[in-house]
Amino acid sequence: MNQQSRTTETLNDLIAIARDGQEFYQDASTRIDDVELKSLFTRVATTKATIIAELGAAVQAVGGDPEGSGTMRGSMQEMYARVRAALGDKEYSYVAELEESEDRLLHAFEDAVKDEKTPTAARDVVTRLMPEVRACHDLMRARKHAMKCAS
């Protein structure tokens, strides 16, 4: 596999996982009543869209086609969150599952940076976007813990 193919594959994997999160946040924002959470979910979905766009631009820069869909795992997690929300605390259920989604994206970014086979072009864009990914993760983790302590 050449550098261009490896860069495209690495970044497209991250695009798919980020797209899972973006779609999940957008869906969750329509299913909850809490205005503050609705605003938070919309804001994070917008951040995910920016990350996806930047990863996509890096894929195009090396001559690849950006991934246009999410993953099966992401779809299953979103479905599980809906079931969990229907059976219990709706807001906490979405926050907990979205935090899991953030864990998945953060770990994928960390793995891409640590992997010696990750091409420099991919590593550079991943490293540049890492603070935004980590901020979303930390925000949802803090929200989940605050909600858990309040209950």
Side-chain angles (χ1 to χ4, degrees), residues 57-87:
V59 169
Q60 289 177 324
V62 298
D65 293 321
E67 178 61 52
S69 61
T71 67
M72 177 62 80
R73 180 177 172 186
S75 298
M76 297 300 291
Q77 186 174 25
E78 192 174 327
M79 186 177 71
Y80 174 72
R82 286 187 203 137
V83 170
R84 185 175 170 185
L87 299 174

PDB file of all heavy atoms in Angstrom, residues 57-87:
ATOM      1  N   ALA A  57     -10.730  17.299   3.546  1.00  0.00           N
ATOM      2  CA  ALA A  57      -9.840  18.135   2.728  1.00  0.00           C
ATOM      3  C   ALA A  57      -8.449  17.516   2.655  1.00  0.00           C
ATOM      4  O   ALA A  57      -7.806  17.541   1.594  1.00  0.00           O
ATOM      5  CB  ALA A  57      -9.768  19.549   3.308  1.00  0.00           C
ATOM      6  N   ALA A  58      -7.994  16.921   3.752  1.00  0.00           N
ATOM      7  CA  ALA A  58      -6.677  16.271   3.750  1.00  0.00           C
ATOM      8  C   ALA A  58      -6.686  15.028   2.855  1.00  0.00           C
ATOM      9  O   ALA A  58      -5.699  14.747   2.178  1.00  0.00           O
ATOM     10  CB  ALA A  58      -6.275  15.905   5.177  1.00  0.00           C
ATOM     11  N   VAL A  59      -7.798  14.302   2.835  1.00  0.00           N
ATOM     12  CA  VAL A  59      -7.926  13.141   1.947  1.00  0.00           C
ATOM     13  C   VAL A  59      -7.881  13.607   0.499  1.00  0.00           C
ATOM     14  O   VAL A  59      -7.160  13.037  -0.335  1.00  0.00           O
ATOM     15  CB  VAL A  59      -9.232  12.351   2.235  1.00  0.00           C
ATOM     16  CG1 VAL A  59      -9.501  11.323   1.147  1.00  0.00           C
ATOM     17  CG2 VAL A  59      -9.170  11.675   3.599  1.00  0.00           C
ATOM     18  N   GLN A  60      -8.619  14.660   0.184  1.00  0.00           N
ATOM     19  CA  GLN A  60      -8.631  15.187  -1.185  1.00  0.00           C
ATOM     20  C   GLN A  60      -7.261  15.725  -1.589  1.00  0.00           C
ATOM     21  O   GLN A  60      -6.866  15.601  -2.749  1.00  0.00           O
ATOM     22  CB  GLN A  60      -9.690  16.280  -1.321  1.00  0.00           C
ATOM     23  CG  GLN A  60     -11.096  15.722  -1.283  1.00  0.00           C
ATOM     24  CD  GLN A  60     -12.160  16.803  -1.336  1.00  0.00           C
ATOM     25  OE1 GLN A  60     -12.000  17.883  -0.769  1.00  0.00           O
ATOM     26  NE2 GLN A  60     -13.259  16.500  -2.007  1.00  0.00           N
ATOM     27  N   ALA A  61      -6.523  16.282  -0.630  1.00  0.00           N
ATOM     28  CA  ALA A  61      -5.200  16.843  -0.924  1.00  0.00           C
ATOM     29  C   ALA A  61      -4.217  15.774  -1.404  1.00  0.00           C
ATOM     30  O   ALA A  61      -3.281  16.090  -2.142  1.00  0.00           O
ATOM     31  CB  ALA A  61      -4.643  17.564   0.306  1.00  0.00           C
ATOM     32  N   VAL A  62      -4.436  14.520  -0.989  1.00  0.00           N
ATOM     33  CA  VAL A  62      -3.556  13.436  -1.450  1.00  0.00           C
ATOM     34  C   VAL A  62      -4.190  12.651  -2.595  1.00  0.00           C
ATOM     35  O   VAL A  62      -3.715  11.591  -2.974  1.00  0.00           O
ATOM     36  CB  VAL A  62      -3.128  12.487  -0.300  1.00  0.00           C
ATOM     37  CG1 VAL A  62      -2.323  13.245   0.749  1.00  0.00           C
ATOM     38  CG2 VAL A  62      -4.318  11.774   0.315  1.00  0.00           C
ATOM     39  N   GLY A  63      -5.313  13.175  -3.123  1.00  0.00           N
ATOM     40  CA  GLY A  63      -5.934  12.558  -4.288  1.00  0.00           C
ATOM     41  C   GLY A  63      -6.968  11.489  -3.987  1.00  0.00           C
ATOM     42  O   GLY A  63      -7.403  10.772  -4.883  1.00  0.00           O
ATOM     43  N   GLY A  64      -7.403  11.400  -2.727  1.00  0.00           N
ATOM     44  CA  GLY A  64      -8.396  10.393  -2.346  1.00  0.00           C
ATOM     45  C   GLY A  64      -9.806  10.955  -2.304  1.00  0.00           C
ATOM     46  O   GLY A  64     -10.023  12.154  -2.469  1.00  0.00           O
ATOM     47  N   ASP A  65     -10.750  10.058  -2.108  1.00  0.00           N
ATOM     48  CA  ASP A  65     -12.157  10.437  -1.951  1.00  0.00           C
ATOM     49  C   ASP A  65     -12.546  10.302  -0.481  1.00  0.00           C
ATOM     50  O   ASP A  65     -12.431   9.211   0.081  1.00  0.00           O
ATOM     51  CB  ASP A  65     -13.057   9.534  -2.797  1.00  0.00           C
ATOM     52  CG  ASP A  65     -12.849   9.750  -4.283  1.00  0.00           C
ATOM     53  OD1 ASP A  65     -12.664  10.914  -4.685  1.00  0.00           O
ATOM     54  OD2 ASP A  65     -12.872   8.755  -5.037  1.00  0.00           O
ATOM     55  N   PRO A  66     -13.032  11.381   0.148  1.00  0.00           N
ATOM     56  CA  PRO A  66     -13.430  11.320   1.554  1.00  0.00           C
ATOM     57  C   PRO A  66     -14.607  10.367   1.781  1.00  0.00           C
ATOM     58  O   PRO A  66     -15.507  10.273   0.946  1.00  0.00           O
ATOM     59  CB  PRO A  66     -13.837  12.750   1.895  1.00  0.00           C
ATOM     60  CG  PRO A  66     -13.229  13.598   0.833  1.00  0.00           C
ATOM     61  CD  PRO A  66     -13.153  12.728  -0.396  1.00  0.00           C
ATOM     62  N   GLU A  67     -14.573   9.695   2.910  1.00  0.00           N
ATOM     63  CA  GLU A  67     -15.645   8.778   3.312  1.00  0.00           C
ATOM     64  C   GLU A  67     -16.941   9.568   3.458  1.00  0.00           C
ATOM     65  O   GLU A  67     -16.956  10.647   4.040  1.00  0.00           O
ATOM     66  CB  GLU A  67     -15.285   8.105   4.639  1.00  0.00           C
ATOM     67  CG  GLU A  67     -16.324   7.168   5.186  1.00  0.00           C
ATOM     68  CD  GLU A  67     -16.608   5.996   4.257  1.00  0.00           C
ATOM     69  OE1 GLU A  67     -15.655   5.320   3.842  1.00  0.00           O
ATOM     70  OE2 GLU A  67     -17.790   5.776   3.939  1.00  0.00           O
ATOM     71  N   GLY A  68     -18.032   9.005   2.948  1.00  0.00           N
ATOM     72  CA  GLY A  68     -19.310   9.707   2.970  1.00  0.00           C
ATOM     73  C   GLY A  68     -20.314   9.164   3.960  1.00  0.00           C
ATOM     74  O   GLY A  68     -21.418   9.678   4.063  1.00  0.00           O
ATOM     75  N   SER A  69     -19.940   8.135   4.719  1.00  0.00           N
ATOM     76  CA  SER A  69     -20.894   7.553   5.667  1.00  0.00           C
ATOM     77  C   SER A  69     -20.193   7.199   6.967  1.00  0.00           C
ATOM     78  O   SER A  69     -18.973   7.264   7.072  1.00  0.00           O
ATOM     79  CB  SER A  69     -21.559   6.316   5.056  1.00  0.00           C
ATOM     80  OG  SER A  69     -20.584   5.339   4.772  1.00  0.00           O
ATOM     81  N   GLY A  70     -21.002   6.799   7.932  1.00  0.00           N
ATOM     82  CA  GLY A  70     -20.480   6.382   9.228  1.00  0.00           C
ATOM     83  C   GLY A  70     -20.230   4.883   9.243  1.00  0.00           C
ATOM     84  O   GLY A  70     -20.060   4.256   8.193  1.00  0.00           O
ATOM     85  N   THR A  71     -20.250   4.305  10.439  1.00  0.00           N
ATOM     86  CA  THR A  71     -19.970   2.880  10.596  1.00  0.00           C
ATOM     87  C   THR A  71     -21.189   2.141  11.140  1.00  0.00           C
ATOM     88  O   THR A  71     -22.091   2.749  11.728  1.00  0.00           O
ATOM     89  CB  THR A  71     -18.801   2.649  11.577  1.00  0.00           C
ATOM     90  OG1 THR A  71     -19.213   3.052  12.903  1.00  0.00           O
ATOM     91  CG2 THR A  71     -17.557   3.441  11.164  1.00  0.00           C
ATOM     92  N   MET A  72     -21.191   0.849  10.976  1.00  0.00           N
ATOM     93  CA  MET A  72     -22.258   0.016  11.527  1.00  0.00           C
ATOM     94  C   MET A  72     -22.241   0.107  13.048  1.00  0.00           C
ATOM     95  O   MET A  72     -23.289   0.195  13.684  1.00  0.00           O
ATOM     96  CB  MET A  72     -22.077  -1.437  11.074  1.00  0.00           C
ATOM     97  CG  MET A  72     -23.111  -2.378  11.667  1.00  0.00           C
ATOM     98  SD  MET A  72     -24.799  -1.979  11.193  1.00  0.00           S
ATOM     99  CE  MET A  72     -24.855  -2.694   9.587  1.00  0.00           C
ATOM    100  N   ARG A  73     -21.067   0.111  13.640  1.00  0.00           N
ATOM    101  CA  ARG A  73     -20.953   0.200  15.095  1.00  0.00           C
ATOM    102  C   ARG A  73     -21.602   1.484  15.607  1.00  0.00           C
ATOM    103  O   ARG A  73     -22.306   1.483  16.617  1.00  0.00           O
ATOM    104  CB  ARG A  73     -19.486   0.146  15.508  1.00  0.00           C
ATOM    105  CG  ARG A  73     -19.285   0.243  16.999  1.00  0.00           C
ATOM    106  CD  ARG A  73     -17.837   0.109  17.379  1.00  0.00           C
ATOM    107  NE  ARG A  73     -17.650   0.388  18.785  1.00  0.00           N
ATOM    108  CZ  ARG A  73     -16.480   0.449  19.368  1.00  0.00           C
ATOM    109  NH1 ARG A  73     -15.385   0.219  18.675  1.00  0.00           N
ATOM    110  NH2 ARG A  73     -16.394   0.745  20.641  1.00  0.00           N
ATOM    111  N   GLY A  74     -21.371   2.585  14.897  1.00  0.00           N
ATOM    112  CA  GLY A  74     -21.966   3.852  15.292  1.00  0.00           C
ATOM    113  C   GLY A  74     -23.477   3.816  15.214  1.00  0.00           C
ATOM    114  O   GLY A  74     -24.178   4.325  16.104  1.00  0.00           O
ATOM    115  N   SER A  75     -24.020   3.199  14.173  1.00  0.00           N
ATOM    116  CA  SER A  75     -25.479   3.071  14.025  1.00  0.00           C
ATOM    117  C   SER A  75     -26.069   2.224  15.141  1.00  0.00           C
ATOM    118  O   SER A  75     -27.139   2.544  15.674  1.00  0.00           O
ATOM    119  CB  SER A  75     -25.821   2.441  12.676  1.00  0.00           C
ATOM    120  OG  SER A  75     -25.372   3.255  11.628  1.00  0.00           O
ATOM    121  N   MET A  76     -25.375   1.159  15.491  1.00  0.00           N
ATOM    122  CA  MET A  76     -25.859   0.284  16.568  1.00  0.00           C
ATOM    123  C   MET A  76     -25.829   1.013  17.913  1.00  0.00           C
ATOM    124  O   MET A  76     -26.747   0.868  18.714  1.00  0.00           O
ATOM    125  CB  MET A  76     -25.011  -0.997  16.635  1.00  0.00           C
ATOM    126  CG  MET A  76     -25.095  -1.860  15.384  1.00  0.00           C
ATOM    127  SD  MET A  76     -26.768  -2.421  15.013  1.00  0.00           S
ATOM    128  CE  MET A  76     -27.032  -3.544  16.354  1.00  0.00           C
ATOM    129  N   GLN A  77     -24.789   1.795  18.153  1.00  0.00           N
ATOM    130  CA  GLN A  77     -24.691   2.533  19.406  1.00  0.00           C
ATOM    131  C   GLN A  77     -25.811   3.566  19.521  1.00  0.00           C
ATOM    132  O   GLN A  77     -26.408   3.738  20.580  1.00  0.00           O
ATOM    133  CB  GLN A  77     -23.328   3.215  19.510  1.00  0.00           C
ATOM    134  CG  GLN A  77     -23.111   3.883  20.861  1.00  0.00           C
ATOM    135  CD  GLN A  77     -21.712   4.432  20.986  1.00  0.00           C
ATOM    136  OE1 GLN A  77     -21.055   4.745  20.008  1.00  0.00           O
ATOM    137  NE2 GLN A  77     -21.258   4.559  22.217  1.00  0.00           N
ATOM    138  N   GLU A  78     -26.116   4.225  18.425  1.00  0.00           N
ATOM    139  CA  GLU A  78     -27.190   5.208  18.410  1.00  0.00           C
ATOM    140  C   GLU A  78     -28.533   4.529  18.692  1.00  0.00           C
ATOM    141  O   GLU A  78     -29.352   5.040  19.461  1.00  0.00           O
ATOM    142  CB  GLU A  78     -27.214   5.919  17.055  1.00  0.00           C
ATOM    143  CG  GLU A  78     -28.089   7.130  17.015  1.00  0.00           C
ATOM    144  CD  GLU A  78     -27.959   7.872  15.692  1.00  0.00           C
ATOM    145  OE1 GLU A  78     -26.875   7.884  15.091  1.00  0.00           O
ATOM    146  OE2 GLU A  78     -28.983   8.456  15.278  1.00  0.00           O
ATOM    147  N   MET A  79     -28.755   3.369  18.090  1.00  0.00           N
ATOM    148  CA  MET A  79     -29.997   2.629  18.318  1.00  0.00           C
ATOM    149  C   MET A  79     -30.095   2.193  19.786  1.00  0.00           C
ATOM    150  O   MET A  79     -31.149   2.318  20.411  1.00  0.00           O
ATOM    151  CB  MET A  79     -30.060   1.407  17.400  1.00  0.00           C
ATOM    152  CG  MET A  79     -31.384   0.660  17.482  1.00  0.00           C
ATOM    153  SD  MET A  79     -31.453  -0.716  16.334  1.00  0.00           S
ATOM    154  CE  MET A  79     -30.317  -1.853  17.100  1.00  0.00           C
ATOM    155  N   TYR A  80     -28.988   1.717  20.339  1.00  0.00           N
ATOM    156  CA  TYR A  80     -28.964   1.313  21.739  1.00  0.00           C
ATOM    157  C   TYR A  80     -29.308   2.499  22.652  1.00  0.00           C
ATOM    158  O   TYR A  80     -30.052   2.347  23.627  1.00  0.00           O
ATOM    159  CB  TYR A  80     -27.591   0.743  22.111  1.00  0.00           C
ATOM    160  CG  TYR A  80     -27.451   0.443  23.579  1.00  0.00           C
ATOM    161  CD1 TYR A  80     -28.123  -0.625  24.156  1.00  0.00           C
ATOM    162  CD2 TYR A  80     -26.658   1.238  24.398  1.00  0.00           C
ATOM    163  CE1 TYR A  80     -28.009  -0.888  25.515  1.00  0.00           C
ATOM    164  CE2 TYR A  80     -26.533   0.980  25.751  1.00  0.00           C
ATOM    165  CZ  TYR A  80     -27.217  -0.086  26.305  1.00  0.00           C
ATOM    166  OH  TYR A  80     -27.099  -0.337  27.645  1.00  0.00           O
ATOM    167  N   ALA A  81     -28.798   3.664  22.332  1.00  0.00           N
ATOM    168  CA  ALA A  81     -29.084   4.854  23.143  1.00  0.00           C
ATOM    169  C   ALA A  81     -30.574   5.174  23.137  1.00  0.00           C
ATOM    170  O   ALA A  81     -31.138   5.543  24.167  1.00  0.00           O
ATOM    171  CB  ALA A  81     -28.287   6.051  22.626  1.00  0.00           C
ATOM    172  N   ARG A  82     -31.211   5.028  21.981  1.00  0.00           N
ATOM    173  CA  ARG A  82     -32.662   5.281  21.913  1.00  0.00           C
ATOM    174  C   ARG A  82     -33.432   4.320  22.808  1.00  0.00           C
ATOM    175  O   ARG A  82     -34.363   4.725  23.510  1.00  0.00           O
ATOM    176  CB  ARG A  82     -33.151   5.150  20.476  1.00  0.00           C
ATOM    177  CG  ARG A  82     -32.768   6.285  19.601  1.00  0.00           C
ATOM    178  CD  ARG A  82     -33.441   6.176  18.241  1.00  0.00           C
ATOM    179  NE  ARG A  82     -32.680   6.926  17.276  1.00  0.00           N
ATOM    180  CZ  ARG A  82     -32.403   6.505  16.065  1.00  0.00           C
ATOM    181  NH1 ARG A  82     -32.847   5.349  15.636  1.00  0.00           N
ATOM    182  NH2 ARG A  82     -31.702   7.253  15.250  1.00  0.00           N
ATOM    183  N   VAL A  83     -33.052   3.047  22.770  1.00  0.00           N
ATOM    184  CA  VAL A  83     -33.723   2.045  23.620  1.00  0.00           C
ATOM    185  C   VAL A  83     -33.474   2.365  25.084  1.00  0.00           C
ATOM    186  O   VAL A  83     -34.404   2.380  25.899  1.00  0.00           O
ATOM    187  CB  VAL A  83     -33.227   0.620  23.275  1.00  0.00           C
ATOM    188  CG1 VAL A  83     -33.716  -0.393  24.294  1.00  0.00           C
ATOM    189  CG2 VAL A  83     -33.660   0.228  21.871  1.00  0.00           C
ATOM    190  N   ARG A  84     -32.226   2.643  25.423  1.00  0.00           N
ATOM    191  CA  ARG A  84     -31.868   2.957  26.807  1.00  0.00           C
ATOM    192  C   ARG A  84     -32.621   4.193  27.300  1.00  0.00           C
ATOM    193  O   ARG A  84     -33.109   4.233  28.431  1.00  0.00           O
ATOM    194  CB  ARG A  84     -30.358   3.176  26.870  1.00  0.00           C
ATOM    195  CG  ARG A  84     -29.832   3.394  28.243  1.00  0.00           C
ATOM    196  CD  ARG A  84     -28.318   3.486  28.228  1.00  0.00           C
ATOM    197  NE  ARG A  84     -27.854   3.926  29.530  1.00  0.00           N
ATOM    198  CZ  ARG A  84     -26.611   4.201  29.808  1.00  0.00           C
ATOM    199  NH1 ARG A  84     -25.677   4.068  28.893  1.00  0.00           N
ATOM    200  NH2 ARG A  84     -26.279   4.610  31.011  1.00  0.00           N
ATOM    201  N   ALA A  85     -32.734   5.200  26.440  1.00  0.00           N
ATOM    202  CA  ALA A  85     -33.434   6.430  26.803  1.00  0.00           C
ATOM    203  C   ALA A  85     -34.916   6.178  27.026  1.00  0.00           C
ATOM    204  O   ALA A  85     -35.539   6.778  27.906  1.00  0.00           O
ATOM    205  CB  ALA A  85     -33.233   7.492  25.725  1.00  0.00           C
ATOM    206  N   ALA A  86     -35.489   5.284  26.233  1.00  0.00           N
ATOM    207  CA  ALA A  86     -36.913   4.975  26.366  1.00  0.00           C
ATOM    208  C   ALA A  86     -37.205   4.258  27.678  1.00  0.00           C
ATOM    209  O   ALA A  86     -38.313   4.353  28.218  1.00  0.00           O
ATOM    210  CB  ALA A  86     -37.380   4.125  25.191  1.00  0.00           C
ATOM    211  N   LEU A  87     -36.201   3.563  28.199  1.00  0.00           N
ATOM    212  CA  LEU A  87     -36.400   2.764  29.406  1.00  0.00           C
ATOM    213  C   LEU A  87     -35.961   3.457  30.690  1.00  0.00           C
ATOM    214  O   LEU A  87     -36.216   2.944  31.776  1.00  0.00           O
ATOM    215  CB  LEU A  87     -35.637   1.434  29.279  1.00  0.00           C
ATOM    216  CG  LEU A  87     -36.062   0.551  28.120  1.00  0.00           C
ATOM    217  CD1 LEU A  87     -35.134  -0.657  28.016  1.00  0.00           C
ATOM    218  CD2 LEU A  87     -37.508   0.119  28.261  1.00  0.00           C
TER     219      LEU A  87
END
